[in-house]
Amino acid sequence: MTFEQLGLRPELLSALTAKGYEIPTPIQAQAIPPILDGSDVMGGAQTGTGKTAAFTLPLLHLLMNSNHAEKRPRALILTPTRELAAQVDESVKTYGVHLPLKSSVIFGGVGMEPQKAAIRRGVDIVVATPGRLLDHCNQKTIDLSRVEILVLDEADRMLDMGFIHDIKRILALLPKVRQNLLFSATFSPAIKKLADGILRNPTLVETVRHNTAAETVEQMVYPVHKTRKKDLLKQLITVGEWKQVLVFTRTKGGANQLATYLNKANIPALAIHGNKSQNARTKALAEFKAGEIRVLTATDIAARGLDIDKLPHVVNYDLPNVPEDYVHRIGRTGRAGSEGVAVSLIGAEDVPLLRPIERLLKCKIESELIPGYQSAKEIDPDSQLPPRASRTAGSGNYFAGRGSSRSTPKKSGATSSSRGNATGKPRVDPSSSNKPRSESKPSGTARTPSNSSAKPKSGGEPGKFWGRR
Ligand code: AMP
């Protein structure tokens, strides 16, 4: 299947060629034809699957078929966060570069006047977060009565963030007859209810099974006491020579503290979260993308929808409270076919959060004990371990017995040894990962050659773990 075969306009095809896209991703191949046919579509796709182009390309194509002289919004794309709105708007502009269509982005946290001026100048496509869009509607600075196509992007997150009432208010301002496209990474009963109320005879398109992690992401769990997470993260980044790492923390304060700590350790880092101004967040993202900042520490909401090409490493410094957030987080890496690594630092307090994540993923995530960080006492000095940990861990290995299987389905033809590990290098002896692990020999998985300058704090076999990059 090629983009030409999908029937897209030549102007769009040349924009895609310039962007270097050769073939449509599965969600694009499935969603573009019914959207071009005018159907409502319910798309099950995580970020990283190419879903933005899946709705943006046919949307641009269709808008060119209807009257575009008037410059009143004929397409409305709603997103849960400012970052996602900005990115979708960027995509609209990129794909529509050869078309006489105008788009504008509307979100809170910045002045309303420039947005009003842009709307006054005339727009065909509005990409907006619900709250600020309603502010404009209330001030009558935008007229939504000509909207022909509505897109709800990351609808599950919009519901999580409590936007349901705002969405309903916006829907009431739109023409009754229109095309509706709803994209969501998960299909909860709440999403189905929302979809039932909006979509008419929708075509269901789905590329990734519900709630599964992107196939190209390798996931690892590293048990570590919470007081030593910072130190372990620093080691992973420096010894592993990780160049671009997105680190998730549960709180804004946690994101700030971690960024400060890493900067003191000469690892350039910035925090992004809801308390930062939009400009600060945009600047941080730009510096991170440009490689000036090595680590971005972020809360879930701030990082939602971030599009960073080929982001190699995602770290769950704290596990998320909601299992679906784990899927969203690791969706930041392994995007559009590139391999990525998602690492979770698990203290005793995170263990109750890990099980629901594994249930959602329908697999166990491989765990690895790290010399110097691995003992049950270190993870939990009060020894309040969940029963299975102490029972299964004959060796004192807190996570013994778990995580022997890979957490991600292998791509066909790929073996463990051919896949990258957290180092980006091949595993030497993948088969041994099924063996129980002992505390002093932290992993049954043989490692790539050691980095002699990097030694664990205590115990273990120095080179074995730290050679892993
Ligand atoms: P999305 O899921 O929309 O956030 O897209 C994820 C990433 O995939 C973005 O960086 C896109 O630029 C990229 N992408 C989207 N479609 C394609 C394609 N057909 N070929 C290659 N890369 C793509």
Side-chain angles (χ1 to χ4, degrees):
M1 177 68 78
T2 63
F3 284 110
E4 284 86 346
Q5 286 168 329
L6 291 174
L8 293 167
R9 299 178 66 94
E11 298 95 327
L12 294 169
L13 297 178
S14 59
L16 292 172
T17 307
K19 190 96 174 97
Y21 297 177
E22 287 166 6
I23 50 162
T25 65
I27 190 77
Q28 291 161 4
Q30 287 182 55
I32 291 174
I35 299 176
L36 288 177
D37 281 347
S39 295
D40 281 7
V41 164
M42 173 139 171
Q46 303 167 13
T47 353
T49 54
K51 70 177 168 59
T52 313
F55 61 76
T56 304
L57 293 168
L59 180 146
L60 290 165
H61 182 106
L62 290 173
L63 290 184
M64 284 303 293
N65 289 347
S66 72
N67 173 23
H68 51 88
E70 209 179 348
K71 296 294 172 212
R72 275 201 270 175
R74 288 175 300 129
L76 173 63
I77 304 171
L78 292 178
T79 73
T81 64
R82 305 160 186 182
E83 278 78 12
L84 185 59
Q87 285 170 192
V88 170
D89 183 57
E90 205 179 298
S91 294
V92 170
K93 290 186 165 69
T94 304
Y95 304 136
V97 65
H98 303 303
L99 298 174
L101 297 173
K102 281 194 167 182
S103 75
S104 196
V105 66
I106 289 179
F107 50 68
V110 294
M112 278 183 89
E113 288 311 315
Q115 296 174 354
K116 287 180 187 172
I119 298 164
R120 267 199 306 273
R121 283 195 296 275
V123 289
D124 300 280
I125 302 142
V126 168
V127 188
T129 52
R132 176 55 70 89
L133 180 65
L134 276 176
D135 293 342
H136 280 280
C137 294
N138 293 337
Q139 295 186 23
K140 304 213 178 327
T141 45
I142 192 164
D143 171 11
L144 299 179
S145 67
R146 297 297 168 101
V147 169
E148 297 163 16
I149 306 172
L150 169 71
V151 183
L152 296 180
D153 192 14
E154 304 201 354
D156 50 347
R157 180 45 58 117
M158 284 204 263
L159 294 191
D160 289 350
M161 291 171 70
F163 284 137
I164 185 68
H165 298 297
D166 286 352
I167 291 172
K168 284 185 175 160
R169 274 182 218 123
I170 293 166
L171 289 175
L173 300 169
L174 303 179
K176 295 243 170 325
V177 178
R178 54 170 200 267
Q179 187 175 9
N180 302 289
L181 315 174
L182 182 149
F183 284 79
S184 179
T186 53
F187 287 146
S188 63
I191 285 290
K192 288 197 183 107
K193 195 168 158 216
L194 177 74
D196 285 347
I198 297 178
L199 307 173
R200 286 155 308 141
N201 299 325
T203 305
L204 183 69
V205 294
E206 207 183 358
T207 47
V208 182
R209 214 159 34 90
H210 303 168
N211 304 336
T212 56
E215 286 206 353
T216 50
V217 182
E218 179 178 343
Q219 300 162 68
M220 286 298 302
V221 156
Y222 293 131
V224 54
H225 186 260
K226 62 181 175 198
T227 56
R228 306 208 45 217
K229 282 187 177 182
K230 280 192 181 76
D231 187 35
L232 174 56
L233 178 65
K234 185 181 76 180
Q235 299 282 9
L236 287 168
I237 293 170
T238 51
V239 179
E241 293 172 15
W242 292 0
K243 296 281 183 284
Q244 205 181 31
V245 194
L246 179 59
V247 181
F248 285 93
T249 59
R250 197 170 297 135
T251 64
K252 298 168 192 170
N256 281 339
Q257 283 165 18
L258 191 57
T260 306
Y261 171 85
L262 292 170
N263 279 313
K264 280 190 187 146
N266 287 326
I267 300 171
L270 276 174
I272 56 164
H273 51 65
N275 286 1
K276 300 258 174 177
S277 73
Q278 185 55 39
N279 287 344
R281 288 155 73 171
T282 308
K283 187 164 171 283
L285 182 60
E287 289 179 14
F288 185 60
K289 282 184 175 180
E292 292 157 26
I293 294 298
R294 201 161 159 191
V295 183
L296 208 54
T297 62
T299 53
D300 286 291
I301 289 178
R304 183 76 180 142
L306 287 185
D307 180 12
I308 301 152
D309 253 358
K310 299 193 171 61
L311 175 63
H313 293 102
V314 165
V315 175
N316 294 304
Y317 190 81
D318 306 305
L319 280 186
N321 292 326
V322 182
E324 281 79 6
D325 280 346
Y326 177 88
V327 178
H328 291 306
R329 286 179 177 190
I330 71 163
R332 315 289 89 232
T333 183
R335 294 158 81 78
S338 64
E339 291 216 340
V341 176
V343 160
S344 300
L345 308 185
I346 305 287
E349 66 287 354
D350 296 298
V351 172
L353 301 171
L354 184 59
R355 300 306 299 278
I357 290 169
E358 291 182 329
R359 270 199 296 276
L360 182 70
L361 297 172
K362 296 194 175 67
C363 67
K364 285 189 171 184
I365 304 172
E366 184 175 348
S367 72
E368 177 120 36
L369 295 175
I370 301 174
Y373 292 90
Q374 78 275 35
S375 75
K377 267 219 154 10
E378 285 213 41
I379 297 159
D380 184 356
D382 303 326
S383 282
Q384 287 169 342
L385 299 176
R388 84 186 173 105
S390 43
R391 271 194 225 118
T392 56
S395 61
N397 175 345
Y398 179 53
F399 281 81
R402 38 161 297 118
S404 58
S405 64
R406 273 217 170 275
S407 50
T408 51
K410 290 182 187 74
K411 286 180 287 188
S412 58
T415 63
S416 291
S417 57
S418 68
R419 289 175 56 84
N421 57 20
T423 71
K425 293 177 182 172
R427 285 171 185 276
V428 176
D429 179 12
S431 60
S432 61
S433 66
N434 284 331
K435 293 172 192 160
R437 291 171 180 159
S438 74
E439 201 169 1
S440 58
K441 289 184 181 172
S443 167
T445 308
R447 299 278 161 250
T448 46
S450 69
N451 175 343
S452 56
S453 64
K455 292 193 171 70
K457 288 204 157 192
S458 62
E461 291 171 78
K464 281 213 162 178
F465 172 74
W466 298 110
R468 185 177 164 86
R469 274 179 212 165

